[in-house]
């Protein structure tokens, strides 16, 4: 079986990377912190014009009909620039969830899901609407204030909320690029799906959200390595660049090794989610653990090689470091994902070892 990405996928990744690096600069990110929403409508329209908002929207609704596996390389690039806009949530979590809702409602002769899909998916593809998905595992909802449609889990049930159906109460975040909210439902709002109906859909959404965190963590790790290498190449001590010191090299080499070993599990998890394999929850938890661990080590070691400058607001490192910290504990924290892995490998009669992995 060939697990490599296609040439088209790599070329598309390269074009998206060029756009994001040129447009989503640290200066532009800092400027959004002072804005009312913390988001840029002009940037969202630029992404829509490139077709990024239409990537996972089915072709029947004006999209490109691409899968989670197609999007995973792009999610990494969103992490590389610490993209504040909710593109990853919309494309990798919310759109597939709305498609699942529509399919489930169709099986039960419920027109509500199909009507939602027909109304919202073409708007998402055109960049005229933002879909946000949120599960109770997260406690707070990111970007609820700009959601045109919020797909929200509450007490296990699934709600599809337009802006007039909920109130978003702001919460502080360690990352100024993240806008977090607790949600209060308007009186009389009823769930779209009961807890029993919604359970498998929300489980898949949690997997997609964790996968999104893992992919972005890979990009963040690479960006922190690049920032640190650039800094240590310029910063001199005793007449030479500090990047030539063995101890500094070891800090970055340790991160680079973790990053390389995290890539394969993330890409495997994307394949498992796309193919809806039975073990996808295990693959996703493994991916999120190793990717966020790499990002955490990158943050720690990057601060070390930056010295005192690493703690300052003026240096761009903290933009990526704080996002890495935040992703570690969203869509399931470390304890949650370790427990999911433990439930599988410590189960009675578990098939583990190389003969099970590669057989």
């Amino acid at each position: 079986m060939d697990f490599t990405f296609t040439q088209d996928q790599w070329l598309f990744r390269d074009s998206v990377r060029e756009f994001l690096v040129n447009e989503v600069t640290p200066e532009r990110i800092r400027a959004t912190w002072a804005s009312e929403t913390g988001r840029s409508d002009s940037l969202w329209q630029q992404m829509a014009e490139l077709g990024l908002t239409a990537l996972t929207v089915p072709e029947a609704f004006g999209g490109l009909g691409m899968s989670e596996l197609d999007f995973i390389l792009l999610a990494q690039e969103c992490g590389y620039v610490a993209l504040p806009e909710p593109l990853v949530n919309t494309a990798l979590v919310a759109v597939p969830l709305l498609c699942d809702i529509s399919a489930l409602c169709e099986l039960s002769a419920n027109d509500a899901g199909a009507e939602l899909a027909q109304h919202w998916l073409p708007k998402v593809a055109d960049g005229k609407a933002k879909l946000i998905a949120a599960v109770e595992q997260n406690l707070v909802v990111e970007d609820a204030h700009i959601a045109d449609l919020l797909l929200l889990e509450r007490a296990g049930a699934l709600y599809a909320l337009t802006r007039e159906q909920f109130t978003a109460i702001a919460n502080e975040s360690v990352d100024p690029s993240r806008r977090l909210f607790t949600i209060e439902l308007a009186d009389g709002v009823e769930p779209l799906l009961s807890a029993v109906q919604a359970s498998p859909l929300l489980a898949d959404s949690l997997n997609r959200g964790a996968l999104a965190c893992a992919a972005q963590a890979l990009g963040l790790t690479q960006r922190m390595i690049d920032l640190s290498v650039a800094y240590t190449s310029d910063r001199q001590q005793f007449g030479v660049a500090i990047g030539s010191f063995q101890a500094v090299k070891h800090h970055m080499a340790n991160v680079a090794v973790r990053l390389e070993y995290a890539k394969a599990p993330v890409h495997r998890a994307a394949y498992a989610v796309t193919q809806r394999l039975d073990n996808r929850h295990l693959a996703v938890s493994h991916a999120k653990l190793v990717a966020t661990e790499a990002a955490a080590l990158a943050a720690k070691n990057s601060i070390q090689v930056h010295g005192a400058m690493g703690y300052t607001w003026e240096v761009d490192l903290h933009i990526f470091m704080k996002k890495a910290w935040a992703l570690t504990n969203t869509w399931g924290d470390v304890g949650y994902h370790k427990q999911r892995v433990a439930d599988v490998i410590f189960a009675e009669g578990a098939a583990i070892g190389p003969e099970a992995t590669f057989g």
Side-chain angles (χ1 to χ4, degrees), residues 140-287:
V140 289
V141 180
E142 187 172 359
D143 291 318
H145 65 311
I146 58 170
D148 296 292
L149 181 68
L150 176 62
L151 301 175
L152 176 73
E153 178 187 4
R154 180 63 60 88
L158 182 59
Y159 291 78
L161 306 170
T162 53
R163 291 186 179 181
E164 68 275 5
Q165 293 179 307
F166 67 91
T167 301
I169 302 170
N171 288 252
E172 293 294 329
S173 172
V174 67
D175 177 5
S177 290
R178 301 181 80 220
R179 297 299 172 96
L180 305 176
F181 300 86
T182 52
I183 303 299
E184 291 185 355
L185 301 181
D187 293 338
V189 176
E190 296 293 331
L192 177 66
L193 298 176
S194 68
V196 173
Q197 294 171 312
S199 179
L201 275 61
L202 291 170
D204 280 338
S205 291
L206 179 59
N207 281 334
R208 293 188 188 104
L211 176 63
C213 291
Q216 290 176 90
L218 294 182
L220 288 164
T221 303
Q222 186 62 62
R223 185 60 175 271
M224 286 186 278
I225 291 174
D226 292 349
L227 287 172
S228 298
V229 169
Y231 177 80
T232 57
S233 297
D234 294 335
R235 175 77 166 88
Q236 291 200 350
Q237 196 171 51
F238 308 116
V240 296
I242 64 172
S244 65
F245 300 157
Q246 195 78 349
V248 174
K249 290 180 180 179
H250 284 173
H251 275 308
M252 289 299 99
N254 290 339
V255 178
V257 170
R258 287 283 189 96
L259 174 60
E260 288 305 311
Y261 275 95
K263 288 178 181 178
V266 174
H267 299 161
R268 179 188 66 169
Y271 177 83
V273 168
T274 300
Q275 299 297 321
R276 296 181 181 263
L277 301 183
D278 291 340
N279 69 340
R280 59 189 180 275
H281 64 290
L282 173 63
V284 165
S285 288
H286 179 204

Side-chain angles (χ1 to χ4, degrees), residues 21-37:
V21 169
N22 288 331
E23 295 296 334
V24 189
T25 61
E27 293 76 20
R28 188 169 188 171
I29 290 174
R30 290 173 185 272
T32 63
W33 296 343
S35 67
E36 183 177 355
T37 64

Side-chain angles (χ1 to χ4, degrees), residues 56 67-68 71-72 75 87-96 208 211-212:
T56 57
S67 68
E68 295 91 344
F71 190 79
I72 204 68
L87 176 66
V88 177
N89 186 304
T90 295
L92 195 53
V93 188
V95 166
R208 293 188 188 104
L211 176 63

Side-chain angles (χ1 to χ4, degrees), residues 58-74:
E59 293 180 13
F61 298 102
L64 299 178
M66 298 172 74
S67 68
E68 295 91 344
L69 186 60
D70 295 315
F71 190 79
I72 204 68
L73 293 176
L74 310 186

Side-chain angles (χ1 to χ4, degrees), residues 106-120:
E106 185 178 349
L107 290 175
S108 59
N110 181 349
D111 293 336
E115 291 173 358
L116 278 174
Q118 290 169 3
H119 179 77
W120 289 106

